Amino acid sequence: MSTTPPAYGNLTISNLGPRLFHSPTLKRGYSPEGPAWHSDGDRILLNDHLSVIEHALKYHTPLKSIELAGPRREIFFDPAKSACAIVTCGGLCPGLNDVIRAIVMQARYGYGVKRILGIRYGYEGLNPAYGHEPMELTPRSVSNIHHFGGTMLGSSRGKQEAAVMADRIQELGVNMVFVIGGDGSQRGANALNQEFEKRQSPISVIGVPKTIDNDLLYMDRSFGYHTAFASAFQAVTSAHTEAAGARNGVGLVKLMGRDSGFIACSAALATGEANFVLIPEVPFQLDGETGLFAMLEKRLAERGHAVVIVAEGAGQDLFDAGALGTDASGNQRYGDIGTFLKDRFSAHFKSKNTELNLKYIDPSYIIRSVPAAPEDRVFCSNLGRHAVHAAMAGKTGMVVARWHQRFVHLPMDLVTSGRRKVDPAGDLWRSVLESTGQPAKMGT
C-alpha cells in the first residue's frame, strides 16, 4: 500500500517554551529512568527501507526522522493553572468517545488538571454566534461513554474563522486544545495554532487524527478503521449468503471510502467472498468486452452468483461533478455510486432479458456509529494519553499518530498535505486481485 508521499516536508515539532515544571508522575513512584520516558531527541526513521539507509550512508545525507511520543520528565504547563478543551469534528467514527475519555482521565489523574471543557458540536462550539455552551468534563461524566458509539460532545462539519475560535478559547481560559477529527479538522486546528502563534499566546493545539477510511498520511492506521472493516465484514458475508441463495444472485455492498479504498480491500480479503472490488484509486468502465458488465455476466454464467464491493468514492468519473456541488466544508460532493450501480445492473440485465436477483446493502451509517472494538479501544486510549503528554510538554501544531508500530508526533501541515491511498501497483491491491480473480483493469 502507499504509505508516504514523494516529499517528506518538515518534521520539526514546535514547542511553546522551556519546561520549568517536573512531571507530577515523578512524585507518584514512577521511576525517573527507563524506556517509558522520552526526550525530544528520541526519534525513529521515517523511512526504514535498507536502500534509503544505504543511500544516506553512501552520500552522507541526513536521514529523515520523527519524534517519539510519550511522557517527558519536565513539562511546560503548571497543572494547577491549566485548563483543557476537547472538540470532535466531522463525521462519526468508532472510538470518538474512547479518545475523549482517555484525554479526560489522563489530564485529571495523570497530571492533576481539574478544569476540562467539552466543546459542543465541533468548531461551531467555538463560535459564540451558534450559542453552544461548553460542558464540564469529569472522570465521572465520561466513565461509561466508551460503551457507546458516536461522540458525547456532538459534531459538525464546516469551517469557522480561526480568529473567532481563538477569541473564544482565550475567553474560556483554556491553554490546551485537543482536536479530534480528520484532515479538514486538522487543517482548522493548524489555522487555529497559527492564530495563537501570531498573537504570541502560549496555547497548545494537539490533534488526534480521525478517519474511518484510514487515509491520513504517515500513519500505520487511524482509530475506528479496524472496527469499521470488522462491521463491513458482516455486511459482505450477508451479501454473499443472499447472492448464493438465488439464481443469478448478486450482492452489491457499498462501503465507506471517499478517496481511499482500504475498508473495501480489507473487507474483501477478510471474507474471501468478494468477486469484484471497486475503489477510488482504480478506474473502471461498465461497457466493453472487458468492462464490469461483461465480467459480471461471465461470473454469473460460470458460478450463478457474485458479490460486488464498491467504495463510496469509486467511479466518480461516471457522474457530472459540476452538478453535484460541494459540501459545508468545501469538499466536492460525490455521486451515490451504490444506487447508481444498482440501477445500472438492473437495467443492463433487463435489456438482455436475463434474470437478476440483486440485493443492495449500504451499511455506512451502521458502521460508523458502532462502539469501538476492543483493539480500537486500546488504540484510542493510547492516542488520548499521548496527546495529553504532548500538550503538557508544551508541544503544539502537531498530531499524535502511530508509525512503524511506535507512537510519534507529526506536524499538522505534513499530515494534511495529501491523502494515503491504495497503491494500484502495490501488495494490498495485488492481494485483492488474487482473492477476487477480477482483472487488473476493467475496460480499455
Side-chain angles (χ1 to χ4, degrees):
M1 68 182 72
S2 175
T3 53
T4 59
Y8 296 138
N10 183 15
L11 299 172
T12 303
I13 301 300
S14 298
N15 291 279
L16 292 173
R19 298 169 193 153
L20 305 178
F21 301 94
H22 294 301
S23 172
T25 56
L26 288 169
K27 302 176 182 179
R28 299 193 183 108
Y30 288 98
S31 171
E33 307 298 331
W37 296 98
H38 291 290
S39 68
D40 292 354
D42 291 337
R43 306 178 71 88
I44 63 171
L45 293 178
L46 178 70
N47 190 328
D48 59 359
H49 287 188
L50 182 59
S51 60
V52 173
I53 299 172
E54 289 176 337
H55 182 275
L57 293 174
K58 181 177 180 179
Y59 294 100
H60 305 288
T61 57
L63 287 163
K64 294 287 186 177
S65 62
I66 310 175
E67 184 177 285
L68 282 172
R72 270 52 176 173
R73 293 177 181 82
E74 285 76 40
I75 58 178
F76 176 78
F77 289 110
D78 179 356
K81 299 178 182 178
S82 295
C84 304
I86 305 172
V87 57
T88 54
C89 304
L92 298 184
C93 176
L96 281 165
N97 279 333
D98 299 76
V99 177
I100 295 170
R101 184 180 189 274
I103 292 173
V104 172
M105 294 299 190
Q106 184 65 36
R108 179 66 182 87
Y109 292 133
Y111 287 95
V113 177
K114 295 181 179 179
R115 187 163 175 260
I116 307 169
L117 300 179
I119 305 301
R120 305 301 307 277
Y121 302 111
Y123 285 142
E124 286 185 4
L126 292 175
N127 184 342
Y130 287 92
H132 305 316
E133 289 299 319
M135 61 188 300
E136 292 279 350
L137 298 178
T138 66
R140 181 182 293 275
S141 69
V142 303
S143 61
N144 294 315
I145 63 172
H146 55 307
H147 297 301
F148 303 96
T151 163
M152 71 173 295
L153 300 178
S155 187
S156 67
R157 296 184 185 276
K159 302 176 182 178
Q160 301 296 328
E161 290 294 327
V164 173
M165 295 193 294
D167 287 344
R168 181 59 172 153
I169 288 168
Q170 290 183 310
E171 288 171 5
L172 292 172
V174 165
N175 52 15
M176 288 175 276
V177 182
F178 299 95
V179 177
I180 310 170
D183 62 333
S185 304
Q186 300 308 330
R187 289 191 188 95
N190 198 28
L192 181 61
N193 180 65
Q194 291 171 358
E195 180 67 22
F196 286 137
E197 287 181 347
K198 184 172 67 175
R199 300 181 182 194
Q200 297 184 332
S201 300
I203 297 176
S204 171
V205 182
I206 304 294
V208 180
K210 175 223 67 172
T211 165
I212 201 170
D213 295 341
N214 202 35
D215 61 354
L216 286 176
L217 294 173
Y218 301 100
M219 299 179 196
D220 294 336
R221 58 180 278 205
S222 54
F223 78 80
Y225 169 67
H226 276 215
T227 304
F229 95 72
S231 298
F233 174 96
Q234 298 298 328
V236 175
T237 300
S238 297
H240 176 259
T241 301
E242 290 283 352
R247 185 169 57 250
N248 278 358
V250 173
L252 173 61
V253 184
K254 187 182 83 170
L255 297 177
M256 304 188 82
R258 178 179 167 86
D259 296 299
S260 304
F262 289 106
I263 292 178
C265 290
S266 295
L269 294 173
T271 61
E273 307 288 7
N275 307 111
F276 302 96
V277 178
L278 311 174
I279 60 175
E281 296 88 340
V282 181
F284 67 93
Q285 293 179 357
L286 296 176
D287 300 304
E289 293 184 1
T290 58
L292 179 58
F293 286 154
M295 295 295 101
L296 185 55
E297 289 177 15
K298 183 174 183 290
R299 164 70 190 186
L300 292 177
E302 293 175 352
R303 298 297 299 275
H305 69 278
V307 173
V308 181
I309 298 175
V310 57
E312 62 180 313
Q316 292 303 307
D317 58 313
L318 303 174
F319 298 91
D320 178 3
L324 295 171
T326 58
D327 64 17
S329 298
N331 300 314
Q332 173 66 50
R333 292 187 187 276
Y334 281 7
D336 189 338
I337 188 64
T339 57
F340 175 85
L341 289 179
K342 177 175 75 73
D343 294 341
R344 291 297 301 272
F345 285 172
S346 298
H348 175 79
F349 282 90
K350 184 177 181 180
S351 71
K352 297 272 188 176
N353 292 318
T354 301
E355 180 183 9
L356 179 69
N357 287 293
L358 176 64
K359 297 295 187 295
Y360 175 55
I361 300 174
D362 178 1
S364 299
Y365 288 101
I366 296 174
I367 287 175
R368 74 178 200 168
S369 302
V370 299
E375 185 177 3
D376 262 332
R377 284 188 177 181
V378 174
F379 188 51
C380 290
S381 175
N382 284 324
L383 287 173
R385 289 190 305 102
H386 286 302
V388 176
H389 289 319
M392 292 301 302
K395 297 187 176 296
T396 191
M398 53 143 282
V399 303
V400 178
R402 196 176 72 171
W403 184 247
H404 297 168
Q405 306 303 311
R406 303 291 296 275
F407 286 95
V408 296
H409 297 157
L410 298 173
M412 284 175 175
D413 54 0
L414 181 73
V415 170
T416 58
S417 62
R419 287 187 183 275
R420 192 166 77 114
K421 294 179 178 292
V422 176
D423 183 354
D427 180 67
L428 176 61
W429 186 240
R430 181 187 179 97
S431 298
V432 171
L433 295 179
E434 292 175 345
S435 174
T436 62
Q438 72 188 70
K441 181 183 293 186
M442 281 186 284
T444 57

